[in-house]
């Protein structure tokens, strides 16, 4: 198992408990559609000023390349609800094993907050890590130059 030590971050005291976010990700995992890999994943995003979380699950497809990760699924739900600045995301794969986001999801999440906190399941305890530490140099267009 990978050591999370280089990526650890602290959880702000004014955020809801990290364990609650991780529980929401585990509940979202129950909705996963993963008939091919059998690897179900759930994600829950925390947004400031909102008591409930945006959740998502992985959705696989017969055409494997179209499969969608839980983290991106949750981020899409967040944007569809008019929010674009998540504070943290919990990711739940196999119980007790930290499920790190894939490279595509690291880039996708960095679009909305490069300083995002991640909550992972480390032996049944929430482990907080920093997206900035995991993915220090995302591709970001210069926002001033966007059409
Ligand atoms: Zn992913």
């Amino acid at each position: 198992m990978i050591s999370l030590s280089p990526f650890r971050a602290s959880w702000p005291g004014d955020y809801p408990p990290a364990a609650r976010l991780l529980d929401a990700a585990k509940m979202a995992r129950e909705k996963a559609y993963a008939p091919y890999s059998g690897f179900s994943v759930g994600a829950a995003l925390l947004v400031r000023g909102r008591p409930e979380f945006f959740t998502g699950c992985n959705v696989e497809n017969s055409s494997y390349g179209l499969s969608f990760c839980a983290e991106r699924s949750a981020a899409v739900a967040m944007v569809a609800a008019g929010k674009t600045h998540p504070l943290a995301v919990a990711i739940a794969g196999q119980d007790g094993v930290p499920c790190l986001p894939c490279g595509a999801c690291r880039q996708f999440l960095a679009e909305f907050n490069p300083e995002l906190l991640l909550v992972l399941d480390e032996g049944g305890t929430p482990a907080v890590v920093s997206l900035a530490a995991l993915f220090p140099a995302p591709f970001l267009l210069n926002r001033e130059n966007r059409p």
Side-chain angles (χ1 to χ4, degrees):
M1 189 186 307
I2 186 171
S3 167
L4 298 177
S5 297
F7 314 113
R8 288 197 195 275
S10 56
W11 188 250
D14 61 335
Y15 285 10
R20 241 186 78 208
L21 197 60
L22 187 57
D23 284 344
K26 288 180 179 179
M27 283 181 60
R29 182 181 60 191
E30 299 302 313
K31 304 281 196 315
Y33 178 75
Y36 307 108
S37 72
F39 188 70
S40 296
V41 182
L45 273 169
L46 169 68
V47 175
R48 189 175 301 284
R50 211 185 134 99
E52 69 269 38
F53 310 127
F54 293 103
T55 58
C57 59
N58 57 330
V59 181
E60 295 181 349
N61 192 275
S62 295
S63 176
Y64 289 1
L66 298 179
S67 296
F68 214 72
C69 298
E71 302 91 312
R72 281 180 286 147
S73 163
V76 167
M78 173 194 73
V79 172
K83 302 288 184 182
T84 54
H85 190 76
L87 302 172
V89 62
I91 307 165
Q94 187 184 340
D95 275 337
V97 180
C99 184
L100 289 160
C102 76
C105 285
R106 293 178 197 197
Q107 172 65 36
F108 200 88
L109 293 169
E111 173 77 17
F112 302 106
N113 181 2
E115 306 294 324
L116 189 71
L117 294 177
L118 279 57
V119 180
L120 310 175
D121 185 351
E122 187 179 40
T125 302
V128 180
V129 301
S130 145
L131 179 61
L134 279 174
F135 196 62
F139 171 75
L140 295 171
L141 280 175
N142 180 338
R143 292 179 194 273
E144 286 77 43
N145 291 336
R146 285 185 180 176

